[in-house]
Amino acid sequence: MSGEAIIVEYRWPPLSRKAHLFPVRGAQSLCRAWLFTGARCDTQGRLEAKGPDDCSMCHRRAVKAGYLLKVEA
């Protein structure tokens, strides 16, 4: 898995209350609510587990598309 490219990453648009998932080379979030071309967010941690500051819709769409693995709690 170390050789795989990261397909999505968390970014935090300035006016957003949540961190959103964006394609690495894209400007529109997976939930389609935000356009943002800023730097990725290093404070969000792992992509596998959804945190309290992460957009639920982005996370659900990433799991459904196969970008993220669904983690059972």
Side-chain angles (χ1 to χ4, degrees), residues 46-67:
R46 300 177 5 181
L47 287 173
E48 292 86 14
K50 182 190 161 309
D53 291 333
D54 301 339
C55 174
S56 297
M57 181 62 74
C58 283
H59 189 77
R60 278 193 300 259
R61 287 190 177 172
V63 169
K64 185 174 182 179
Y67 298 145

Side-chain angles (χ1 to χ4, degrees), residues 6 8-12 19 21 40-54 59 68:
I6 297 174
V8 293
E9 61 191 8
Y10 278 109
R11 296 183 194 161
W12 201 302
L21 282 168
R40 82 178 192 159
C41 184
D42 292 330
T43 60
Q44 287 312 106
R46 300 177 5 181
L47 287 173
E48 292 86 14
K50 182 190 161 309
D53 291 333
D54 301 339
H59 189 77
L68 305 178

Side-chain angles (χ1 to χ4, degrees), residues 20-36:
H20 295 270
L21 282 168
F22 290 83
V24 171
R25 300 207 191 291
Q28 189 173 24
S29 65
L30 293 183
C31 68
R32 298 186 178 117
W34 294 91
L35 288 173
F36 183 63

